[in-house]
Amino acid sequence: FSVCKCNFIFLSSGTGSNILSALQDLFWLLKSKVEKQLQIISVLQWVLTFLIMGIACTLILMYILCTDCWAIAALYLAWLVFDWNTPKKGGRRSQWVRNWAIWRYFRDYFPIRLVKTHNLLTTRNYIFGYHPHGIMGLGAFCNFSTEATGISQKFPGIRPYLATLAGNFRMPILRDYLMSGGICPVNRDSIDYILSKNGSGNAIIIVVGGAAESLNCTPGKNSVTLKNRKGFVKLALRHGADLVPVYSFGENEVYKQVIFEEGSWGRWVQKKFQKHIGFAPCIFHGRGLFSSNTWGLLPYSKPITTVVGEPITIPKIDNPSQKEVDFYHSIYVDSLIKLFEKYKSKFGLPETEVLEVN
């Protein structure tokens, strides 16, 4: 009887252990699937924000004005008039929004990583030159407009301001959403205010290549539009703000784009849009919502690693000459190339890869 009892206890404990192990495996499998879905949702909401939120909110506001709830829209419009210049004065960032859990799921979808190479002094102001633009600048947004990759811990005392098209701040609701993340207009008034009237420890992130660069971004290509982009250097000299080269490995890998050749009708249309509206329409695609083998608006889940380089000390010159601008611009270009060369092999590129500077 004792032997049978021992065998029964042994079998029972073994069976129980197997069941517990199976339940644990099932739990982790379900948790993994839920996390993956949350990652997809987090990225999808940002893509839709980037593409349609501004227009959608404008249309909804116009519709509400024509209904019995018109007073709500009227109150918001009155607030909009009162608050119109806030984006030009550093905006209205919210640490609560920047620390939303949704941004951590956004980060993990790719994943996105921020690499620090040097300390930044809180007694100085900075202009970060971000390269390349990509289709949507996903690395720039995640690293500098949220706390998902720990920018405040890696650069304590530094306040990042990601600069984007000023037209976005004329869109109701969208403007407030962007400002909550520390995003500001990429115009002279806004940058002058942050660098001269907002103390020290400010870092303005400018995607230097802009719309022109986005037209040439495609997987496998490392190319930046920089040779004739010198306005950011002039701003740095006028304010004595140090220049910091930043390169995002993988930014061009997350979307596939139809590239129109120079002189084609497609490129002509893109340049007209760029000249008159400020952005260039791109024909691109990522993966589908339910399958990576179908086309859709979701970016491909490719790693994006953003490397923040060594700051270049810039003197304060109220009216810099073209020669001075050219001199510091050349230093910046050399620093960006050196940054690319130093880290390219660490993040999946062959040693033969060369950064193309246009």
Side-chain angles (χ1 to χ4, degrees), residues 188 234-240 315-321 324:
R188 181 169 172 175
K234 190 172 184 178
L235 281 169
L237 285 165
R238 290 180 61 245
H239 293 284
K316 188 177 186 304
I317 305 174
D318 291 333
N319 294 297
S321 65
E324 289 167 327

Side-chain angles (χ1 to χ4, degrees), residues 36-55:
K36 187 61 180 177
Q37 294 304 314
L38 289 172
Q39 291 170 10
I40 289 173
I41 291 170
S42 68
V43 174
L44 181 61
Q45 69 84 26
W46 171 247
V47 170
L48 294 178
T49 295
F50 183 88
L51 294 175
I52 65 172
M53 184 177 179
I55 295 173

Side-chain angles (χ1 to χ4, degrees), residues 118-121 123-127 233 236-245 309-317 324-325 327-329 331-332 335:
H118 292 79
N119 291 325
L120 299 181
L121 299 175
T123 55
R124 301 284 293 173
N125 283 323
Y126 301 90
I127 292 179
V233 178
L237 285 165
R238 290 180 61 245
H239 293 284
D242 293 347
L243 288 171
V244 182
E310 182 178 4
I312 303 165
T313 303
I314 302 294
K316 188 177 186 304
I317 305 174
E324 289 167 327
V325 171
F327 175 73
Y328 285 101
H329 180 267
I331 293 176
Y332 177 87
S335 296

Side-chain angles (χ1 to χ4, degrees), residues 119 192 211 304 314 323 344 355:
N119 291 325
D192 282 347
I304 298 175
I314 302 294
K323 185 177 180 180
K344 64 182 181 182
L355 179 62

Side-chain angles (χ1 to χ4, degrees), residues 80-92:
L80 194 62
V81 172
F82 174 78
D83 195 55
W84 191 253
N85 288 323
T86 298
K88 298 178 182 178
K89 297 180 179 180
R92 188 169 46 246

Side-chain angles (χ1 to χ4, degrees), residues 171-197:
M171 302 285 188
I173 309 301
L174 176 62
R175 67 190 293 277
D176 302 289
Y177 189 36
L178 295 178
M179 283 193 292
S180 67
I183 301 177
C184 68
V186 62
N187 58 31
R188 181 169 172 175
D189 289 342
S190 178
I191 294 172
D192 282 347
Y193 183 91
I194 293 170
L195 294 180
S196 63
K197 299 179 181 178

Side-chain angles (χ1 to χ4, degrees), residues 46 87 90-93 98 141 144-145 160-165 168-169 175 177-185:
W46 171 247
R92 188 169 46 246
R93 76 174 55 221
R98 287 175 60 88
F141 168 76
F144 302 114
S145 293
Y161 294 87
L162 177 60
T164 188
L165 289 175
N168 289 325
F169 297 90
R175 67 190 293 277
Y177 189 36
L178 295 178
M179 283 193 292
S180 67
I183 301 177
C184 68

